[in-house]
Amino acid sequence: MTYSFLWHILGSAIGTIIATTSTPAVITPRISTATTSNPTATTITISSTAPGQACNLTSAPITTYTLGNGSNPKKHTAGEFDQDGILDIVVVNVGFNIILALGNGAYATPINFTTGSGPESVFVADVNNGNRLDVIVANYYRNSVSELLGFGGGRFTAQTAFITSSYPIAVVVVDFNAHNRLDLAVINLIGQTISILLGYENGSFGQQTT
């Protein structure tokens, strides 16, 4: 009988490695790294306790994008914000950054948008049925969530704030009451409560219930 073992290495152009052995064994991956002639790439060697089970891989070059002075990146997600068919990146830091994809794996200079104090979590969804992704951010120190409506080209309106309970740390956007409008659920650290804010047709939200 042949036993298969799978390792998955997270990161660009590394992928999945499957090793096989004809006898049952506990395989313990051993990973070592070495630099290559490209200073931004790394060769990864994976070996195991089973004989003949080794693989060398070289990662793709790494590109770094600066978010600006004072940034404190917390969470990130992806969405198509400029209608070009390529996923862009949104990063929560002091406010949040939109990083637009240019194609071929390249990205534009990050664009900063203002939120409340201490943005902690981010969710993207089309909350006003405008066929554009909007951004919802939970503001830890402001006890609120910020809504910024998208209007194409990676641009957003100024934030609208909605009050939550104390120290919100996460937000999700779902239609909780089957009224074909998206609502907000916010997890609050102090008091260990969840705030529900029901959505209106125009993309705004009502007062919280906990």
Side-chain angles (χ1 to χ4, degrees):
M1 180 179 294
T2 298
Y3 296 83
S4 294
F5 299 85
L6 181 150
W7 298 301
H8 186 70
I9 308 299
L10 298 180
S12 175
I14 294 180
T16 300
I17 307 96
I18 297 177
T20 61
T21 178
S22 58
T23 57
V26 176
I27 295 182
T28 304
R30 298 170 180 169
I31 299 177
S32 60
T33 63
T35 58
T36 67
S37 58
N38 185 335
T40 63
T42 300
T43 294
I44 299 177
T45 299
I46 301 177
S47 60
S48 74
T49 56
Q53 304 295 322
C55 183
N56 291 327
L57 299 164
T58 300
S59 68
I62 298 170
T63 303
T64 301
Y65 296 87
T66 301
L67 298 177
N69 293 331
S71 295
N72 183 24
K74 291 292 186 68
K75 301 291 173 60
H76 69 281
T77 189
E80 187 189 341
F81 299 109
D82 56 355
Q83 297 73 55
D84 62 355
I86 307 173
L87 285 176
D88 310 303
I89 301 170
V90 55
V91 180
V92 168
N93 48 74
V94 283
F96 72 89
N97 290 108
I98 293 292
I99 309 173
L100 298 179
L102 301 175
N104 298 321
Y107 287 83
T109 301
I111 305 168
N112 186 259
F113 296 87
T114 300
T115 65
S117 178
E120 185 72 22
S121 176
V122 62
F123 203 101
V124 297
D126 181 5
V127 299
N128 64 344
N129 296 314
N131 296 318
R132 301 286 188 272
L133 284 177
D134 311 307
V135 175
I136 306 294
V137 178
N139 304 303
Y140 184 80
Y141 292 118
R142 187 62 67 177
N143 299 334
S144 68
V145 291
S146 294
E147 174 191 60
L148 295 90
L149 300 177
F151 57 92
R155 298 170 297 168
F156 295 85
T157 62
Q159 66 165 326
T160 300
F162 300 91
I163 300 301
T164 67
S165 293
S166 297
Y167 300 110
I169 58 173
V171 59
V172 295
V173 183
V174 180
D175 181 3
F176 289 108
N177 58 352
H179 65 339
N180 295 319
R181 300 184 186 97
L182 292 176
D183 312 305
L184 304 182
V186 183
I187 297 176
N188 306 295
L189 181 63
I190 302 302
Q192 300 180 357
T193 61
I194 297 177
S195 298
I196 301 295
L197 295 85
L198 297 180
Y200 298 133
E201 188 174 359
N202 63 356
S204 63
F205 298 93
Q207 293 184 345
Q208 66 165 330
T209 58
T210 56

